[in-house]
PDB file of all heavy atoms in Angstrom:
ATOM      1  N   GLU A 557     101.894  57.888 230.523  1.00  0.00           N
ATOM      2  CA  GLU A 557     100.824  58.390 229.679  1.00  0.00           C
ATOM      3  C   GLU A 557      99.593  58.759 230.493  1.00  0.00           C
ATOM      4  O   GLU A 557      99.400  58.290 231.614  1.00  0.00           O
ATOM      5  CB  GLU A 557     100.445  57.353 228.617  1.00  0.00           C
ATOM      6  CG  GLU A 557      99.882  56.060 229.155  1.00  0.00           C
ATOM      7  CD  GLU A 557      99.580  55.059 228.058  1.00  0.00           C
ATOM      8  OE1 GLU A 557      99.302  55.478 226.918  1.00  0.00           O
ATOM      9  OE2 GLU A 557      99.635  53.845 228.329  1.00  0.00           O
ATOM     10  N   TRP A 558      98.776  59.619 229.899  1.00  0.00           N
ATOM     11  CA  TRP A 558      97.530  60.050 230.505  1.00  0.00           C
ATOM     12  C   TRP A 558      96.653  58.840 230.795  1.00  0.00           C
ATOM     13  O   TRP A 558      96.576  57.900 230.000  1.00  0.00           O
ATOM     14  CB  TRP A 558      96.814  60.998 229.548  1.00  0.00           C
ATOM     15  CG  TRP A 558      95.531  61.578 230.073  1.00  0.00           C
ATOM     16  CD1 TRP A 558      95.373  62.766 230.705  1.00  0.00           C
ATOM     17  CD2 TRP A 558      94.229  60.981 230.000  1.00  0.00           C
ATOM     18  NE1 TRP A 558      94.063  62.968 231.031  1.00  0.00           N
ATOM     19  CE2 TRP A 558      93.330  61.879 230.612  1.00  0.00           C
ATOM     20  CE3 TRP A 558      93.733  59.792 229.488  1.00  0.00           C
ATOM     21  CZ2 TRP A 558      91.968  61.630 230.715  1.00  0.00           C
ATOM     22  CZ3 TRP A 558      92.383  59.518 229.598  1.00  0.00           C
ATOM     23  CH2 TRP A 558      91.516  60.431 230.203  1.00  0.00           C
ATOM     24  N   SER A 559      95.991  58.848 231.930  1.00  0.00           N
ATOM     25  CA  SER A 559      95.034  57.802 232.262  1.00  0.00           C
ATOM     26  C   SER A 559      93.814  58.451 232.903  1.00  0.00           C
ATOM     27  O   SER A 559      93.861  59.615 233.318  1.00  0.00           O
ATOM     28  CB  SER A 559      95.645  56.763 233.215  1.00  0.00           C
ATOM     29  OG  SER A 559      96.082  57.380 234.409  1.00  0.00           O
ATOM     30  N   GLU A 560      92.749  57.712 232.969  1.00  0.00           N
ATOM     31  CA  GLU A 560      91.487  58.244 233.487  1.00  0.00           C
ATOM     32  C   GLU A 560      91.682  58.848 234.880  1.00  0.00           C
ATOM     33  O   GLU A 560      92.299  58.244 235.748  1.00  0.00           O
ATOM     34  CB  GLU A 560      90.437  57.131 233.547  1.00  0.00           C
ATOM     35  CG  GLU A 560      89.031  57.616 233.724  1.00  0.00           C
ATOM     36  CD  GLU A 560      88.507  58.387 232.528  1.00  0.00           C
ATOM     37  OE1 GLU A 560      88.824  58.005 231.386  1.00  0.00           O
ATOM     38  OE2 GLU A 560      87.793  59.386 232.750  1.00  0.00           O
ATOM     39  N   GLY A 561      91.182  60.044 235.058  1.00  0.00           N
ATOM     40  CA  GLY A 561      91.289  60.725 236.348  1.00  0.00           C
ATOM     41  C   GLY A 561      92.459  61.679 236.451  1.00  0.00           C
ATOM     42  O   GLY A 561      92.530  62.480 237.390  1.00  0.00           O
ATOM     43  N   PHE A 562      93.391  61.618 235.481  1.00  0.00           N
ATOM     44  CA  PHE A 562      94.554  62.511 235.506  1.00  0.00           C
ATOM     45  C   PHE A 562      94.135  63.935 235.158  1.00  0.00           C
ATOM     46  O   PHE A 562      93.363  64.167 234.227  1.00  0.00           O
ATOM     47  CB  PHE A 562      95.603  62.027 234.510  1.00  0.00           C
ATOM     48  CG  PHE A 562      96.794  62.950 234.380  1.00  0.00           C
ATOM     49  CD1 PHE A 562      97.860  62.839 235.241  1.00  0.00           C
ATOM     50  CD2 PHE A 562      96.829  63.934 233.396  1.00  0.00           C
ATOM     51  CE1 PHE A 562      98.962  63.689 235.126  1.00  0.00           C
ATOM     52  CE2 PHE A 562      97.908  64.788 233.264  1.00  0.00           C
ATOM     53  CZ  PHE A 562      98.982  64.657 234.141  1.00  0.00           C
ATOM     54  N   ASP A 563      94.647  64.892 235.908  1.00  0.00           N
ATOM     55  CA  ASP A 563      94.444  66.314 235.630  1.00  0.00           C
ATOM     56  C   ASP A 563      95.824  66.962 235.648  1.00  0.00           C
ATOM     57  O   ASP A 563      96.503  66.969 236.692  1.00  0.00           O
ATOM     58  CB  ASP A 563      93.535  66.941 236.687  1.00  0.00           C
ATOM     59  CG  ASP A 563      93.237  68.421 236.429  1.00  0.00           C
ATOM     60  OD1 ASP A 563      94.051  69.090 235.773  1.00  0.00           O
ATOM     61  OD2 ASP A 563      92.198  68.900 236.897  1.00  0.00           O
ATOM     62  N   GLU A 564      96.236  67.481 234.513  1.00  0.00           N
ATOM     63  CA  GLU A 564      97.589  68.025 234.380  1.00  0.00           C
ATOM     64  C   GLU A 564      97.851  69.206 235.303  1.00  0.00           C
ATOM     65  O   GLU A 564      99.000  69.583 235.528  1.00  0.00           O
ATOM     66  CB  GLU A 564      97.856  68.423 232.921  1.00  0.00           C
ATOM     67  CG  GLU A 564      97.177  69.694 232.430  1.00  0.00           C
ATOM     68  CD  GLU A 564      95.715  69.519 232.069  1.00  0.00           C
ATOM     69  OE1 GLU A 564      95.202  68.377 232.179  1.00  0.00           O
ATOM     70  OE2 GLU A 564      95.079  70.517 231.671  1.00  0.00           O
ATOM     71  N   GLN A 565      96.783  69.772 235.887  1.00  0.00           N
ATOM     72  CA  GLN A 565      96.930  70.919 236.780  1.00  0.00           C
ATOM     73  C   GLN A 565      96.734  70.560 238.253  1.00  0.00           C
ATOM     74  O   GLN A 565      96.908  71.414 239.120  1.00  0.00           O
ATOM     75  CB  GLN A 565      95.914  72.006 236.407  1.00  0.00           C
ATOM     76  CG  GLN A 565      96.089  72.572 234.996  1.00  0.00           C
ATOM     77  CD  GLN A 565      97.418  73.281 234.821  1.00  0.00           C
ATOM     78  OE1 GLN A 565      98.409  72.673 234.406  1.00  0.00           O
ATOM     79  NE2 GLN A 565      97.458  74.557 235.152  1.00  0.00           N
ATOM     80  N   ASP A 566      96.393  69.305 238.534  1.00  0.00           N
ATOM     81  CA  ASP A 566      96.073  68.895 239.908  1.00  0.00           C
ATOM     82  C   ASP A 566      97.037  67.815 240.383  1.00  0.00           C
ATOM     83  O   ASP A 566      96.918  66.649 240.002  1.00  0.00           O
ATOM     84  CB  ASP A 566      94.630  68.387 239.969  1.00  0.00           C
ATOM     85  CG  ASP A 566      94.191  68.002 241.374  1.00  0.00           C
ATOM     86  OD1 ASP A 566      95.002  68.110 242.322  1.00  0.00           O
ATOM     87  OD2 ASP A 566      93.021  67.572 241.529  1.00  0.00           O
ATOM     88  N   LYS A 567      97.977  68.187 241.229  1.00  0.00           N
ATOM     89  CA  LYS A 567      99.012  67.278 241.706  1.00  0.00           C
ATOM     90  C   LYS A 567      98.435  66.026 242.370  1.00  0.00           C
ATOM     91  O   LYS A 567      99.043  64.948 242.316  1.00  0.00           O
ATOM     92  CB  LYS A 567      99.933  68.009 242.678  1.00  0.00           C
ATOM     93  CG  LYS A 567     101.107  67.182 243.173  1.00  0.00           C
ATOM     94  CD  LYS A 567     102.022  68.016 244.060  1.00  0.00           C
ATOM     95  CE  LYS A 567     103.212  67.179 244.537  1.00  0.00           C
ATOM     96  NZ  LYS A 567     104.136  67.991 245.394  1.00  0.00           N
ATOM     97  N   ALA A 568      97.262  66.157 242.972  1.00  0.00           N
ATOM     98  CA  ALA A 568      96.664  65.018 243.677  1.00  0.00           C
ATOM     99  C   ALA A 568      96.316  63.879 242.731  1.00  0.00           C
ATOM    100  O   ALA A 568      96.131  62.744 243.173  1.00  0.00           O
ATOM    101  CB  ALA A 568      95.408  65.478 244.422  1.00  0.00           C
ATOM    102  N   THR A 569      96.243  64.157 241.422  1.00  0.00           N
ATOM    103  CA  THR A 569      95.885  63.125 240.448  1.00  0.00           C
ATOM    104  C   THR A 569      97.092  62.504 239.761  1.00  0.00           C
ATOM    105  O   THR A 569      96.939  61.622 238.919  1.00  0.00           O
ATOM    106  CB  THR A 569      94.953  63.708 239.367  1.00  0.00           C
ATOM    107  OG1 THR A 569      95.689  64.638 238.549  1.00  0.00           O
ATOM    108  CG2 THR A 569      93.755  64.408 239.990  1.00  0.00           C
ATOM    109  N   TRP A 570      98.289  62.948 240.108  1.00  0.00           N
ATOM    110  CA  TRP A 570      99.485  62.472 239.415  1.00  0.00           C
ATOM    111  C   TRP A 570     100.003  61.183 240.037  1.00  0.00           C
ATOM    112  O   TRP A 570     100.145  61.087 241.260  1.00  0.00           O
ATOM    113  CB  TRP A 570     100.595  63.529 239.467  1.00  0.00           C
ATOM    114  CG  TRP A 570     100.195  64.865 238.927  1.00  0.00           C
ATOM    115  CD1 TRP A 570      99.081  65.165 238.192  1.00  0.00           C
ATOM    116  CD2 TRP A 570     100.903  66.103 239.102  1.00  0.00           C
ATOM    117  NE1 TRP A 570      99.041  66.507 237.894  1.00  0.00           N
ATOM    118  CE2 TRP A 570     100.152  67.106 238.430  1.00  0.00           C
ATOM    119  CE3 TRP A 570     102.082  66.456 239.738  1.00  0.00           C
ATOM    120  CZ2 TRP A 570     100.560  68.438 238.398  1.00  0.00           C
ATOM    121  CZ3 TRP A 570     102.484  67.777 239.711  1.00  0.00           C
ATOM    122  CH2 TRP A 570     101.736  68.764 239.042  1.00  0.00           C
ATOM    123  N   ALA A 571     100.310  60.205 239.205  1.00  0.00           N
ATOM    124  CA  ALA A 571     100.806  58.920 239.700  1.00  0.00           C
ATOM    125  C   ALA A 571     102.300  58.960 239.990  1.00  0.00           C
ATOM    126  O   ALA A 571     102.807  58.136 240.761  1.00  0.00           O
ATOM    127  CB  ALA A 571     100.499  57.812 238.683  1.00  0.00           C
ATOM    128  N   GLN A 572     103.018  59.906 239.382  1.00  0.00           N
ATOM    129  CA  GLN A 572     104.468  59.946 239.521  1.00  0.00           C
ATOM    130  C   GLN A 572     104.904  60.873 240.665  1.00  0.00           C
ATOM    131  O   GLN A 572     104.391  61.999 240.790  1.00  0.00           O
ATOM    132  CB  GLN A 572     105.133  60.419 238.220  1.00  0.00           C
ATOM    133  CG  GLN A 572     105.081  59.418 237.091  1.00  0.00           C
ATOM    134  CD  GLN A 572     103.714  59.325 236.448  1.00  0.00           C
ATOM    135  OE1 GLN A 572     103.084  60.346 236.163  1.00  0.00           O
ATOM    136  NE2 GLN A 572     103.233  58.108 236.215  1.00  0.00           N
ATOM    137  N   ASP A 573     105.830  60.391 241.463  1.00  0.00           N
ATOM    138  CA  ASP A 573     106.484  61.196 242.497  1.00  0.00           C
ATOM    139  C   ASP A 573     107.849  61.576 241.935  1.00  0.00           C
ATOM    140  O   ASP A 573     108.765  60.756 241.899  1.00  0.00           O
ATOM    141  CB  ASP A 573     106.617  60.380 243.783  1.00  0.00           C
ATOM    142  CG  ASP A 573     107.281  61.158 244.918  1.00  0.00           C
ATOM    143  OD1 ASP A 573     108.124  62.034 244.636  1.00  0.00           O
ATOM    144  OD2 ASP A 573     106.973  60.878 246.088  1.00  0.00           O
ATOM    145  N   PHE A 574     107.994  62.799 241.467  1.00  0.00           N
ATOM    146  CA  PHE A 574     109.199  63.200 240.753  1.00  0.00           C
ATOM    147  C   PHE A 574     110.459  63.101 241.616  1.00  0.00           C
ATOM    148  O   PHE A 574     111.511  62.651 241.155  1.00  0.00           O
ATOM    149  CB  PHE A 574     109.036  64.617 240.209  1.00  0.00           C
ATOM    150  CG  PHE A 574     107.847  64.801 239.315  1.00  0.00           C
ATOM    151  CD1 PHE A 574     107.032  65.913 239.437  1.00  0.00           C
ATOM    152  CD2 PHE A 574     107.527  63.856 238.345  1.00  0.00           C
ATOM    153  CE1 PHE A 574     105.931  66.089 238.614  1.00  0.00           C
ATOM    154  CE2 PHE A 574     106.427  64.020 237.510  1.00  0.00           C
ATOM    155  CZ  PHE A 574     105.619  65.133 237.646  1.00  0.00           C
ATOM    156  N   SER A 575     110.358  63.497 242.842  1.00  0.00           N
ATOM    157  CA  SER A 575     111.527  63.437 243.731  1.00  0.00           C
ATOM    158  C   SER A 575     111.951  61.989 243.969  1.00  0.00           C
ATOM    159  O   SER A 575     113.148  61.671 243.995  1.00  0.00           O
ATOM    160  CB  SER A 575     111.214  64.118 245.065  1.00  0.00           C
ATOM    161  OG  SER A 575     110.961  65.492 244.877  1.00  0.00           O
ATOM    162  N   ALA A 576     110.971  61.106 244.128  1.00  0.00           N
ATOM    163  CA  ALA A 576     111.285  59.688 244.338  1.00  0.00           C
ATOM    164  C   ALA A 576     111.945  59.095 243.108  1.00  0.00           C
ATOM    165  O   ALA A 576     112.881  58.278 243.224  1.00  0.00           O
ATOM    166  CB  ALA A 576     110.012  58.923 244.685  1.00  0.00           C
ATOM    167  N   LEU A 577     111.479  59.476 241.926  1.00  0.00           N
ATOM    168  CA  LEU A 577     112.099  58.981 240.696  1.00  0.00           C
ATOM    169  C   LEU A 577     113.563  59.411 240.619  1.00  0.00           C
ATOM    170  O   LEU A 577     114.443  58.604 240.302  1.00  0.00           O
ATOM    171  CB  LEU A 577     111.336  59.493 239.469  1.00  0.00           C
ATOM    172  CG  LEU A 577     109.948  58.898 239.233  1.00  0.00           C
ATOM    173  CD1 LEU A 577     109.269  59.602 238.058  1.00  0.00           C
ATOM    174  CD2 LEU A 577     110.035  57.396 238.965  1.00  0.00           C
ATOM    175  N   LYS A 578     113.822  60.671 240.916  1.00  0.00           N
ATOM    176  CA  LYS A 578     115.202  61.158 240.904  1.00  0.00           C
ATOM    177  C   LYS A 578     116.056  60.408 241.909  1.00  0.00           C
ATOM    178  O   LYS A 578     117.209  60.045 241.616  1.00  0.00           O
ATOM    179  CB  LYS A 578     115.227  62.658 241.216  1.00  0.00           C
ATOM    180  CG  LYS A 578     114.846  63.548 240.069  1.00  0.00           C
ATOM    181  CD  LYS A 578     115.879  63.573 238.956  1.00  0.00           C
ATOM    182  CE  LYS A 578     117.162  64.240 239.382  1.00  0.00           C
ATOM    183  NZ  LYS A 578     118.121  64.387 238.242  1.00  0.00           N
ATOM    184  N   ALA A 579     115.505  60.143 243.082  1.00  0.00           N
ATOM    185  CA  ALA A 579     116.247  59.438 244.118  1.00  0.00           C
ATOM    186  C   ALA A 579     116.601  58.018 243.689  1.00  0.00           C
ATOM    187  O   ALA A 579     117.609  57.457 244.130  1.00  0.00           O
ATOM    188  CB  ALA A 579     115.436  59.410 245.417  1.00  0.00           C
ATOM    189  N   GLN A 580     115.770  57.433 242.819  1.00  0.00           N
ATOM    190  CA  GLN A 580     116.025  56.070 242.333  1.00  0.00           C
ATOM    191  C   GLN A 580     116.975  56.050 241.136  1.00  0.00           C
ATOM    192  O   GLN A 580     117.326  54.974 240.654  1.00  0.00           O
ATOM    193  CB  GLN A 580     114.697  55.400 241.946  1.00  0.00           C
ATOM    194  CG  GLN A 580     113.788  55.127 243.132  1.00  0.00           C
ATOM    195  CD  GLN A 580     112.449  54.563 242.677  1.00  0.00           C
ATOM    196  OE1 GLN A 580     112.260  53.349 242.577  1.00  0.00           O
ATOM    197  NE2 GLN A 580     111.503  55.453 242.383  1.00  0.00           N
ATOM    198  N   GLY A 581     117.361  57.218 240.665  1.00  0.00           N
ATOM    199  CA  GLY A 581     118.312  57.282 239.562  1.00  0.00           C
ATOM    200  C   GLY A 581     117.697  57.551 238.208  1.00  0.00           C
ATOM    201  O   GLY A 581     118.394  57.536 237.189  1.00  0.00           O
ATOM    202  N   VAL A 582     116.384  57.819 238.142  1.00  0.00           N
ATOM    203  CA  VAL A 582     115.727  58.124 236.869  1.00  0.00           C
ATOM    204  C   VAL A 582     116.041  59.576 236.500  1.00  0.00           C
ATOM    205  O   VAL A 582     115.848  60.492 237.300  1.00  0.00           O
ATOM    206  CB  VAL A 582     114.204  57.921 236.972  1.00  0.00           C
ATOM    207  CG1 VAL A 582     113.520  58.313 235.659  1.00  0.00           C
ATOM    208  CG2 VAL A 582     113.879  56.477 237.334  1.00  0.00           C
ATOM    209  N   GLN A 583     116.527  59.763 235.277  1.00  0.00           N
ATOM    210  CA  GLN A 583     116.886  61.102 234.813  1.00  0.00           C
ATOM    211  C   GLN A 583     115.931  61.646 233.753  1.00  0.00           C
ATOM    212  O   GLN A 583     115.776  62.858 233.633  1.00  0.00           O
ATOM    213  CB  GLN A 583     118.306  61.092 234.232  1.00  0.00           C
ATOM    214  CG  GLN A 583     119.371  60.583 235.190  1.00  0.00           C
ATOM    215  CD  GLN A 583     119.502  61.444 236.427  1.00  0.00           C
ATOM    216  OE1 GLN A 583     119.363  62.666 236.373  1.00  0.00           O
ATOM    217  NE2 GLN A 583     119.768  60.817 237.568  1.00  0.00           N
ATOM    218  N   TYR A 584     115.308  60.730 232.988  1.00  0.00           N
ATOM    219  CA  TYR A 584     114.454  61.140 231.879  1.00  0.00           C
ATOM    220  C   TYR A 584     113.023  60.658 232.086  1.00  0.00           C
ATOM    221  O   TYR A 584     112.789  59.486 232.396  1.00  0.00           O
ATOM    222  CB  TYR A 584     114.969  60.555 230.556  1.00  0.00           C
ATOM    223  CG  TYR A 584     116.176  61.268 229.994  1.00  0.00           C
ATOM    224  CD1 TYR A 584     117.463  60.947 230.431  1.00  0.00           C
ATOM    225  CD2 TYR A 584     116.037  62.255 229.012  1.00  0.00           C
ATOM    226  CE1 TYR A 584     118.578  61.587 229.912  1.00  0.00           C
ATOM    227  CE2 TYR A 584     117.150  62.905 228.487  1.00  0.00           C
ATOM    228  CZ  TYR A 584     118.409  62.562 228.940  1.00  0.00           C
ATOM    229  OH  TYR A 584     119.510  63.209 228.416  1.00  0.00           O
ATOM    230  N   LEU A 585     112.075  61.575 231.872  1.00  0.00           N
ATOM    231  CA  LEU A 585     110.652  61.260 231.944  1.00  0.00           C
ATOM    232  C   LEU A 585     110.035  61.637 230.597  1.00  0.00           C
ATOM    233  O   LEU A 585     110.271  62.737 230.089  1.00  0.00           O
ATOM    234  CB  LEU A 585     109.987  62.053 233.067  1.00  0.00           C
ATOM    235  CG  LEU A 585     108.506  61.767 233.323  1.00  0.00           C
ATOM    236  CD1 LEU A 585     108.333  60.382 233.939  1.00  0.00           C
ATOM    237  CD2 LEU A 585     107.910  62.830 234.257  1.00  0.00           C
TER     238      LEU A 585
END
Side-chain angles (χ1 to χ4, degrees):
E557 64 182 332
W558 183 94
S559 59
E560 195 67 38
F562 175 86
D563 182 334
E564 74 281 359
Q565 298 296 92
D566 183 359
K567 184 176 181 179
T569 69
W570 304 347
Q572 289 75 45
D573 180 330
F574 303 136
S575 296
L577 289 175
K578 282 290 292 186
Q580 292 176 91
V582 177
Q583 304 298 324
Y584 283 84
L585 184 70

